[in-house]
Amino acid sequence: MANVVICIATCNRPQGLRRTLASLATLETRHRINVLVADNDAREQQGLAVVEALATSGYRWPIEALLVRERGIPLVRNALVEAALARPGVTHVAMMDDDEAACPGWIDALVTAADRWDADVVGGAVLREMDSPLPAWASRHPLLQPKRRDKSGPVSLVDSTANVLMSANALRRIGARPFDERMALTGGSDKQLFTRMQRAGFRFAWSEEALVTELIPASRVTAKWLLMRGYRVGMTDMIVARTHGGALRAALSESPRIAVGFLVGAVGPLTTLDRGKRVERLGKLYRAAGKIAGLTGVHYEEYRKVHGA
């Protein structure tokens, strides 16, 4: 039986956090579960209030909350990891976001995959749910599609904490404060960590059965948000590549893709009247521009603004 601490970072999304915690209360599991929430909203502290209300009303699992006053996703994740690893007997740390809901078999699917493939890190599939009708032009955009790999098994890398299980031993071996706090509001500190773990020889696996569902607010179904998300992903991917391989190697490796991105992004939108295709093709230019930003040290702080409620 595994001893799993489920960690959730939250900031000014009390409705989303309630949905997340409600889903965890319906888990069908044979493992020992504790839930730990870190609130990164020092002013309103709505996450703390949600946890306190649930704890006093008889929440199914032992649940606690802590406050992280300084803004930044990796700061919150580091606080969660530190608190989780301090728990006696913890074997695994799971993470999900405060805009997600887990399926009943979520934890057992992750632990089973970790055991079966002797993995230090296991990622799981993320489905998408819209909080309002999806415009026809956006229905095919890659960023709004489910994140799936078609089958479970060993993989070379997991790149997100949106649905992940990490071995407590692996986290202890990687060292204190594993998430890169220089990426406080840019995003990408999860891929930064997992790339470091990959280079250190840790093992990764994927579970298609460990499903969570992300609720996407209408404010993220706009051409501007989709383009800037592509820009941010390009930027943080390049920051990761630059950190682990050096700026020159990253530039040489990515130059062909950057050139193609600018070409497709500049010409492609002119060749179609389909709005969805135009946004998708223009997104390649934005992603290429983000890579140049990452190479030159420009930081776009996407997570300064909170979407959802």
Side-chain angles (χ1 to χ4, degrees):
M1 184 175 68
N3 184 345
V4 184
V5 179
I6 300 174
C7 294
I8 304 160
T10 190
C11 183
N12 198 25
R13 287 204 285 217
Q15 294 179 33
L17 180 61
R18 289 189 194 97
R19 173 175 174 266
T20 300
L21 295 174
S23 75
L24 296 181
T26 67
L27 288 177
E28 298 170 358
T29 180
R30 60 188 177 87
H31 301 295
R32 181 179 176 185
I33 302 296
N34 282 263
V35 179
L36 183 60
V37 176
D39 191 348
N40 200 206
D41 182 6
R43 186 170 63 90
E44 298 290 338
Q45 301 182 19
Q46 295 178 85
L48 294 183
V50 168
V51 172
E52 181 179 355
L54 286 175
T56 56
S57 64
Y59 189 65
R60 179 183 176 190
W61 309 113
I63 185 170
E64 294 182 27
L66 55 94
L67 179 65
V68 180
R69 293 186 175 277
E70 185 178 355
R71 281 291 302 278
I73 297 170
L75 284 83
V76 182
R77 289 175 180 154
N78 283 337
L80 286 166
V81 168
E82 182 180 13
L85 295 182
R87 305 291 180 91
V90 60
T91 61
H92 297 83
V93 175
M95 285 190 175
M96 63 186 301
D97 292 340
D98 64 348
D99 57 0
E100 295 176 331
C103 73
W106 174 58
I107 280 294
D108 281 33
L110 289 173
V111 174
T112 297
D115 290 343
R116 180 177 179 184
W117 290 293
D118 193 23
D120 301 294
V121 180
V122 180
V126 180
L127 307 181
R128 316 291 189 186
E129 178 185 341
M130 309 298 159
D131 75 350
S132 60
L134 185 65
W137 67 266
S139 61
R140 299 184 304 275
H141 197 283
L143 291 175
L144 300 177
Q145 302 308 306
K147 185 176 182 179
R148 310 198 74 156
R149 299 198 183 198
D150 297 329
K151 67 177 183 178
S152 302
V155 294
S156 61
L157 181 69
V158 169
D159 63 3
S160 171
T161 55
N163 177 2
V164 72
L165 181 81
M166 298 169 282
S167 158
N169 287 336
L171 286 170
R172 290 190 180 100
R173 286 164 56 196
I174 203 69
R177 308 196 72 78
F179 292 96
D180 189 341
E181 295 181 357
R182 294 171 297 180
M183 305 176 81
L185 295 171
T186 63
S189 63
D190 40 8
K191 186 172 183 178
Q192 177 81 291
L193 169 61
F194 296 141
T195 301
R196 180 155 64 100
M197 294 179 77
Q198 179 194 47
R199 291 170 64 89
F202 290 91
R203 295 174 297 275
F204 296 82
W206 181 263
S207 173
E208 277 289 290
E209 297 74 29
L211 294 171
V212 302
T213 301
E214 177 188 8
L215 184 64
I216 298 180
S219 60
R220 285 186 168 179
V221 189
T222 67
K224 179 180 178 181
W225 186 87
L226 292 168
L227 291 171
M228 291 307 297
R229 168 55 68 96
Y231 175 91
R232 194 277 294 171
V233 170
M235 180 194 72
T236 51
D237 280 354
M238 190 59 77
I239 291 173
V240 172
R242 191 185 69 198
T243 300
H244 296 286
L248 179 59
R249 179 178 295 180
L252 292 174
S253 173
E254 290 295 323
S255 289
R257 283 182 281 271
I258 291 173
V260 170
F262 272 104
L263 179 62
V264 173
V267 177
L270 304 177
T271 64
T272 180
L273 297 178
D274 185 297
R275 183 183 179 189
K277 291 181 179 178
R278 289 202 308 271
V279 172
E280 187 175 341
R281 293 172 186 176
L282 186 59
K284 296 183 184 299
L285 186 151
Y286 271 70
R287 188 157 184 164
K291 289 183 177 183
I292 292 176
L295 269 175
T296 56
V298 175
H299 282 193
Y300 164 58
E301 295 184 329
E302 177 187 357
Y303 289 96
R304 190 166 291 279
K305 179 179 180 180
V306 176
H307 291 262

